[in-house]
């Protein structure tokens, strides 16, 4: 019988802080983007790489981070992740050119991909002795995510308005060093023997990055140009190589048999489309507030706070109760449709719009949709996975959300650019471009709702599937 760690709640504080910071890294840069664009010379289309460099690397390496956590030891990987995060933050803060900024963000993504799965492993080790304590710990840990998103929006505005945009990265340095100083509070998880599928991790990350690069460049060089076509073919080949590797090696990052888990495929597709609709909304709303309505960085961050506070309240207090009453599928479908409604509302913003009339109500409707859909989709993807595959299922669903975010942002940035969003200073053209992006995101959300409605099994069907005898097949290796 394992002994109870007397310092487990202090350790949870360390892990929740890590979750807070990893999520904050995706939101804190939003209101700083226009200032970074001016100082570093990003074009309107290239600016998304400040976000996507982090998200692609983070999403592409999450499964590798989880595997390393199992083999090397979760505490060691957690600490290593913070070292990498600090290095990336130094690079991003010190950048004088756009490409150095992108490299720094990518390095931060590597750090996040090591920290997040290691933190989850450590949490399970600390609280697995008591299901009641585990539930409480998971609730506190989960609340750190929307809190990080909310704090990032606010702090990004504070730092950019009254200090400089570099401080959205500098803040990670002292916090990272402080976290490294208290890692002894965390349990030492024994390592185990096994192989690491580095080639698979490189193939999937490179494939995603090349696909996003092709989509970003397409409006400039042409969708039918030789370069765009070759890049998209190269991305597809790299992703095919990844799946071939997963099928052929003994210890893959993602055993393909995991996709036999009921609802895993449909829930991950829903998460992909949810990320592809939500992240572009957040990105372009930031730009609309600052580049069209003329808000400063702090005012823009404050304008997004009602949306993020609503998101946090629903995710931590309301969505779980609704799911217990209605099940996952209705909430995912309803949430995606509500997100689409908010996006359609935002698509009507005029160049002379106002926050109270044109932004606030639409953003609250969109945030309500996100809050309703996200947690049910996450739970639907993991609920039917056997215990030995729960970590893998969690890694996959986080990966698909980040992949959807990156590809959705790339595609809708390309759409916005072709509709006028590249004409800085022309408020009408900018608004037309942003409106096109909001419309595109709404279409993605509607597709997500329809696919979920048609493809996801109902809760009753799910229960029947779970009660049926398991098919005779080889057990997945994880």
């Amino acid at each position: 019988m394992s002994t109870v760690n007397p310092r487990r709640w202090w350790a949870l504080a360390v892990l929740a802080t890590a979750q807070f910071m990893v999520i904050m890294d995706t939101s804190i840069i939003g209101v700083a983007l226009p200032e970074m664009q001016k100082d570093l010379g990003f074009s309107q289309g290239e600016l998304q790489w400040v976000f996507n460099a982090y998200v692609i690397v983070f999403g592409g390496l999450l499964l590798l981070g989880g595997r390393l956590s199992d083999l090397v030891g979760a505490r060691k990987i957690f600490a290593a992740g913070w070292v990498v995060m600090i290095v990336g933050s130094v690079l991003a803060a010190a950048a004088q050119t756009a490409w150095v900024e992108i490299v720094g963000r990518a390095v931060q993504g590597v750090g996040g991909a090591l920290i997040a799965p290691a933190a989850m492993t450590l949490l399970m080790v600390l609280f697995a002795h008591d299901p009641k304590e585990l539930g409480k710990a998971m609730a506190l840990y989960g609340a750190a995510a929307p809190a990080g998103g909310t704090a990032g929006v606010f702090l990004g505005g504070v730092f950019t308005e009254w200090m400089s945009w570099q401080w959205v990265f500098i803040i990670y340095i002292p916090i990272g060093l402080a976290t490294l100083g208290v890692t002894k509070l965390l349990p030492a998880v024994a390592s185990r023997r096994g192989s690491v599928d580095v080639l698979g991790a490189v193939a999937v990350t490179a494939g995603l990055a090349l696909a996003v690069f092709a989509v970003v460049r397409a409006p400039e060089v042409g969708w039918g140009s030789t370069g765009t076509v070759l890049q998209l073919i190269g991305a597809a080949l790299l992703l095919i190589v990844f799946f071939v590797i997963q099928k052929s090696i003994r210890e893959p990052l993602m055993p393909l048999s995991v996709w036999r888990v009921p609802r895993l495929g449909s829930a991950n597709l829903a998460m992909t489309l949810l990320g592809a609709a939500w992240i572009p909304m957040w990105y372009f709303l930031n730009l609309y507030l600052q580049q069209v309505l003329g808000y400063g960085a702090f005012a823009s961050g404050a304008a997004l706070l009602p949306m993020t506070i609503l998101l946090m309240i629903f995710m931590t207090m309301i969505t779980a109760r609704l799911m217990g009453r209605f099940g996952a599928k209705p909430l995912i479908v309803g949430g995606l449709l509500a997100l689409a409604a908010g996006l359609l509302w935002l698509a009507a913003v005029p160049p002379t719009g106002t926050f109270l009339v044109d932004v606030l109500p639409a953003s609250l409707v969109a945030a309500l949709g996100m809050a309703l859909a996200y947690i049910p989709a996450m739970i639907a993807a993991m609920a039917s996975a056997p215990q030995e595959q729960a970590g893998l299922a969690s890694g996959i669903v986080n990966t698909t959300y980040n992949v959807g975010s990156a590809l959705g942002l790339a595609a809708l940035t390309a759409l916005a650019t072709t509709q006028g969003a590249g004409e800085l200073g022309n408020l009408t053209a900018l608004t037309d471009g942003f409106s096109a992006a909001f419309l595109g995101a709404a279409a993605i959300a509607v597709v997500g709702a329809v696919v979920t409605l048609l493809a996801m099994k109902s809760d009753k069907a799910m229960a029947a599937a779970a009660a049926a005898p398991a098919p005779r097949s080889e057990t997945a290796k994880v």
Side-chain angles (χ1 to χ4, degrees), residues 105-277:
R105 290 289 288 160
V107 174
Q108 282 189 311
V110 175
L114 296 175
I115 292 168
M120 182 58 72
T121 299
L122 290 165
L123 186 149
M124 296 300 294
V125 169
L126 285 164
F127 294 97
H129 64 280
D130 184 343
K132 187 175 181 180
E133 279 199 359
L134 178 60
K136 184 178 179 181
M138 287 291 289
L140 292 171
Y141 182 80
T150 302
V153 169
F154 179 73
L155 291 176
V158 171
F159 290 148
T160 306
E161 185 81 18
W162 287 300
M163 300 170 77
S164 69
W165 62 260
Q166 285 87 350
W167 276 91
V168 304
F169 304 115
I170 293 172
I171 188 65
Y172 283 83
I173 300 171
I175 292 176
L177 292 172
T179 302
L180 288 172
V182 295
T183 51
K184 289 185 178 180
L185 289 170
L186 304 175
V189 181
S191 58
R192 62 183 177 87
R193 297 182 65 182
S195 60
V196 179
D197 180 16
V198 175
L199 186 59
V202 171
V204 68
T205 306
L208 294 173
L210 187 56
V212 171
F213 180 78
V215 173
V216 170
R217 293 266 297 163
E220 180 181 343
V221 301
W223 286 96
S225 69
T226 302
T228 300
V229 172
L230 289 177
Q231 288 158 8
L232 291 174
I233 291 173
L237 289 175
L238 283 167
L239 295 176
I240 291 171
V241 167
F242 169 73
F243 283 105
V244 170
I245 292 171
Q246 302 314 289
K247 188 174 181 179
S248 60
I249 67 174
R250 179 175 296 179
E251 296 184 275
L253 280 178
M254 186 182 70
L256 299 184
S257 57
V258 73
W259 292 101
R260 299 192 188 106
V261 171
R263 291 205 292 188
L264 182 67
S266 57
N268 272 278
L269 186 53
M271 284 294 280
T272 301
L273 296 171
L274 181 62

